[in-house]
Amino acid sequence: MKRSDIQSELIRSFGQMDPSQGGAVIVWHDPEGEFEETLDELELPGIEVIREQENHAFELKCTMNEDLASRSILLYRKRSRTLEGDWLADIEMRAERFSADYASVQLREINAEDTPEMRALLAEHKALLSKKRTVKRLCALRASYTDPKQVEAALIAAIVETDSLDPANILRTWLLGIEGEACEHLTEALEKNGLLETFATMIRAWTGFEGDITDEAELSQHILLSCAAPRLGETALSSLSARFNVNAARFCNDLYETWLRSNNGAGIDTLREACLNVEDAYALPSLLDAAPTETLLQCDTFPCIDATILERLIAEVAQPDGDYQRILAHAAERRSHVWYRDFEVYYRAVTAAAHMQDMHRSCAGAIDAGTPKEIWNAYTTDLCRMDRWYREFNESLAAALKRSCYGLDDALKSCSASIEALYKNWFLRELSKRWLSACADDLSTKGHANGIPLQLDFDMAEVGPLTRTSKRAWVIVSDALRYEVAQELGEVIQHETRCTCELDAMQSVFPSITKCGMSALLPAGTFRMEQGADGLDVLVDGSVAAGTAARGNQLATQYPGAVAVQYSEFINQMTSSERKKLVADAPLVYIYHNTIDAMGDKPISEAKTFEACRDAILELRALVERLVREQKASNIIITADHGFLYTAEPLDEHESAGISNIDGEVVEYGRRHAVARAGATSQAFLEVALPSDTLTGFCPRECVRIKMGGGGNNFVHGGFTLQECCVPVLRCSVKRKGARGYVETTPASISLITELGTITNGMFSVDILQDTPVGASTSPATYEVFVGDAAHTPITNIATVVADRTDEDARARTSHLQFTIKPGVDTDEQTMYALYARDVQTKQIQNLRPLKISIAFAPLDFGF
């Protein structure tokens, strides 16, 4: 150390001391006498320099025991600091210490205790500590060092380049480092600096691993199996008992959690790869075959656990006598587990299938007969969910088929045969039979079912009142937006925007095709159908309103200045200022959206109908938000021209459902409707009165296709089933707090239902309840749940609860969470802890239950 540096350091040290309180004393230890001559050269104004001289110990002791108030004394001793047998031990105890040798400088730099053991360690690793980068890393890793083992751990952490002295973090970084090309470099660096065996000893203490720590595969296998073993039980992994250590489960679980959440969540990718390597190495899926499902539900270490659970759930849900409520509960419970996202499409499919099977069971195989209005109400309030679940099942199946995940796509394809039969052969057939039978007389005389709102009254019932109460009315017409799709759309809009939503329904005109439904939504004095040059013409006030421009002109007859525009033009081609200019003085704006029908009505793309439904939901939700934000819209109506029937397997072609079975001149026909000259009759088809003196309509009596050439076998419409004619009217409004009709939306809350006051085991589980179903006034929320101290610092792993369940049954809203107290956390019975829930979005923390911890075993010894 240079003289100038010594001088500056001493002046700085004395400057931080207060000599008025018993004096300021610094003892300079120089056992080798390296700086004895330098002492005379120092310029230390105001500081007394006293040298310890041989045979003058008593005299020096007396001097130092005098009243030293206001004096600053530098006591130079040519010896190491050893209190035992030292006459000046009392002075040493109350004085500051200073050394100018290299080891002392290093000790001060890393704020380490000056002991012979610490100096010996520094001498052993002199080359490594000579690097400024290493010293800088040690200072960043720990504020001070009181034990040589701490310095060794820090040196290891510096070599493997981790930013924490947490053992789990060190070992995770080591595993990732030795997986690739860095393995040889890291191993050489540790061995060169004499730390490889030390690190092996530490890993052995942490994990119980006795093998070669440079063997990444064997080490990670040991850790992951040790993680899973306590929860899977000895039986499932009995053949691998030599490959894991259950006593290290707490540490291994902490390492797993650290790994999972590392790199801002990106660590899950490397963790997945490590898990898959273990599964392949030990044929783990086969070993789990004998484990009960209830046991597997308690563990989520390996992805194959979810695969095994799903394989069983898929097989059971395909059976007519399955325990569907249990299947739903199991699928919901996995929402909080690590690998759920990898298997989400499969769980969604299982959930949808279980709901369908459960509805079939609750109906005892039959749908009640009734009046048209009773069946309509049953469909719009309850039965339409079967259409939605069928859509969700097939949407999930399509997503699953794009992946190759443990062969589950094949299992799901096998299950789909049962679901397809349930939907087509029971639900569609039973519902259409009841509905068409109930309204057959009304259809033949009036062309619609009596007592149910009509699409022809849309302008009078919805648009007119809205234009009178709003500066500007907005109507979005989405081609083929089926009622159940609009129902989900309303939920999404309500939960994700500032709008509140109200859903009603009206019956479409017949036939339920675009040119009829689009015309019926326009204001008109007269609405007629006639035979035209190319088939059926739909006349609004005597003219055909085909295309956006013609519809806009018709709107303007009732609402001068009204605008009609295509969604693609309004959103994709116009800027914000152009949109504002377009609607500047318009009292009414119709936006025509066509995503579902554009996809489903083409044979080449009809298989993507349900994918188009999902796209439509996303597009319409974004459109509503844009209108509210950009155009200051306060009231928006979303409706459709018609619905549709879609089945994954083509609808049957009934042998008698052909145009040849209509006795008369057929003007136009499609897969689900026919229009003929007045006077035509048919025993095979149901007759439907049309607003015409010259035409009459016909539709199949069941959910079958009219025999005709060409494609279009899966996506059809034009008939009068509820799926085709039940048209949604979704009212979206922005209501300020306190205004009439305002509904306060709050995130779904959770609570602890397990009786828990004192934790007595390092690994434990709890049950969490989502207090209320998600609905009109309750929005979904996601929570991170953990046990923590008064400062909300987690002392366990962090579990996730996704509170988005809509089930009325509280059992279906329950999550089973598992926790492991972090190794190294020194808990005591006098300290109060709590189970906390932190809202992922708002970061607000809720205390679910105060807790005490009383655990018999001591914290794990990390070896430093």
Side-chain angles (χ1 to χ4, degrees), residues 55 64 518:
N55 300 324
M64 297 303 297
M518 290 296 184

Side-chain angles (χ1 to χ4, degrees), residues 436 443-444 447 510-513 529 536 656-659 661-690 694-702 704 706 717-720 724:
L436 292 173
L443 288 178
S444 64
F510 180 85
S512 55
I513 56 178
M529 295 182 185
L536 177 67
S656 63
I659 300 306
N661 296 107
I662 297 176
D663 186 11
E665 181 184 349
V666 176
V667 173
E668 177 179 300
Y669 69 97
R671 290 290 188 185
R672 292 281 300 153
H673 76 284
V675 176
R677 297 286 296 176
T681 60
S682 176
Q683 294 296 318
F685 290 91
L686 191 65
E687 186 176 351
V688 184
L690 298 179
T694 60
L695 301 174
T696 189
F698 295 94
C699 73
R701 294 180 181 275
E702 297 179 9
V704 295
I706 295 177
H717 59 88
F720 206 72
E724 297 167 281

Side-chain angles (χ1 to χ4, degrees), residues 21 67 125 129 189 215 274 338 356 364 379 419 440 521 574-575 608 620 622 641 660 715 752 777 858:
Q21 303 296 321
D67 183 6
H125 300 292
L129 285 164
D215 187 334
V338 171
M356 293 176 70
Y379 178 74
I419 299 305
L521 294 170
M574 290 185 176
T575 64
K608 296 183 178 181
L620 293 172
D641 50 350
S660 61
F715 177 92
L752 176 68
S777 60

Side-chain angles (χ1 to χ4, degrees), residues 502-788:
E502 180 184 3
L503 179 64
D504 278 328
M506 57 189 178
Q507 59 179 315
S508 71
V509 296
F510 180 85
S512 55
I513 56 178
T514 298
K515 61 183 174 182
C516 297
M518 290 296 184
S519 299
L521 294 170
L522 299 171
T526 61
F527 181 87
R528 304 290 295 169
M529 295 182 185
E530 293 182 359
Q531 182 176 358
D534 297 317
L536 177 67
D537 279 351
V538 182
L539 306 179
V540 180
D541 288 340
S543 300
V544 174
T548 306
R551 294 170 196 161
N553 292 335
Q554 182 62 32
L555 289 172
T557 62
Q558 180 71 28
Y559 308 100
V563 169
V565 63
Q566 284 289 328
Y567 167 87
S568 57
E569 179 185 359
F570 189 71
I571 294 299
N572 300 333
Q573 299 176 24
M574 290 185 176
T575 64
S576 174
S577 59
E578 288 172 337
R579 287 191 288 267
K580 290 179 179 179
K581 183 178 180 181
L582 175 70
V583 305
D585 299 318
L588 172 65
V589 180
Y590 264 55
I591 301 175
Y592 290 97
H593 174 264
N594 186 14
T595 294
I596 299 173
D597 202 61
M599 185 71 72
D601 233 7
K602 298 182 180 67
I604 195 172
S605 59
E606 65 176 344
K608 296 183 178 181
T609 295
F610 288 154
E611 182 180 329
C613 291
R614 179 64 49 201
D615 290 341
I617 289 173
L618 297 175
E619 290 169 359
L620 293 172
R621 173 237 176 261
L623 176 58
V624 168
E625 187 174 36
R626 183 184 293 275
L627 293 179
V628 170
R629 184 184 68 250
E630 181 184 280
Q631 305 291 338
K632 309 304 179 187
S634 57
N635 292 285
I636 303 166
I637 297 175
I638 303 175
T639 190
D641 50 350
H642 56 76
F644 64 87
L645 279 170
Y646 179 88
T647 52
E649 294 295 327
L651 287 172
D652 297 330
E653 278 190 343
H654 196 277
E655 60 181 11
S656 63
I659 300 306
S660 61
N661 296 107
I662 297 176
D663 186 11
E665 181 184 349
V666 176
V667 173
E668 177 179 300
Y669 69 97
R671 290 290 188 185
R672 292 281 300 153
H673 76 284
V675 176
R677 297 286 296 176
T681 60
S682 176
Q683 294 296 318
F685 290 91
L686 191 65
E687 186 176 351
V688 184
L690 298 179
S692 173
D693 297 328
T694 60
L695 301 174
T696 189
F698 295 94
C699 73
R701 294 180 181 275
E702 297 179 9
C703 289
V704 295
R705 291 177 291 134
I706 295 177
K707 289 184 288 185
M708 59 186 293
N713 298 327
N714 304 81
F715 177 92
V716 295
H717 59 88
F720 206 72
T721 62
L722 287 163
Q723 288 80 5
E724 297 167 281
C725 74
C726 183
V727 175
V729 179
L730 181 62
R731 306 180 193 93
C732 308
S733 58
V734 179
K735 296 185 182 295
R736 299 186 182 278
K737 190 172 184 178
R740 183 179 179 182
Y742 174 78
V743 178
E744 180 78 42
T745 300
T746 57
S749 60
I750 61 174
S751 57
L752 176 68
I753 58 177
T754 303
E755 290 295 328
L756 185 66
T758 302
I759 298 172
T760 57
N761 197 310
M763 300 175 69
F764 61 97
S765 59
V766 301
D767 289 327
I768 298 290
L769 174 68
Q770 177 186 318
D771 297 321
T772 55
V774 165
S777 60
T778 305
S779 58
T782 301
Y783 295 93
E784 293 178 333
V785 182
F786 58 91
V787 175

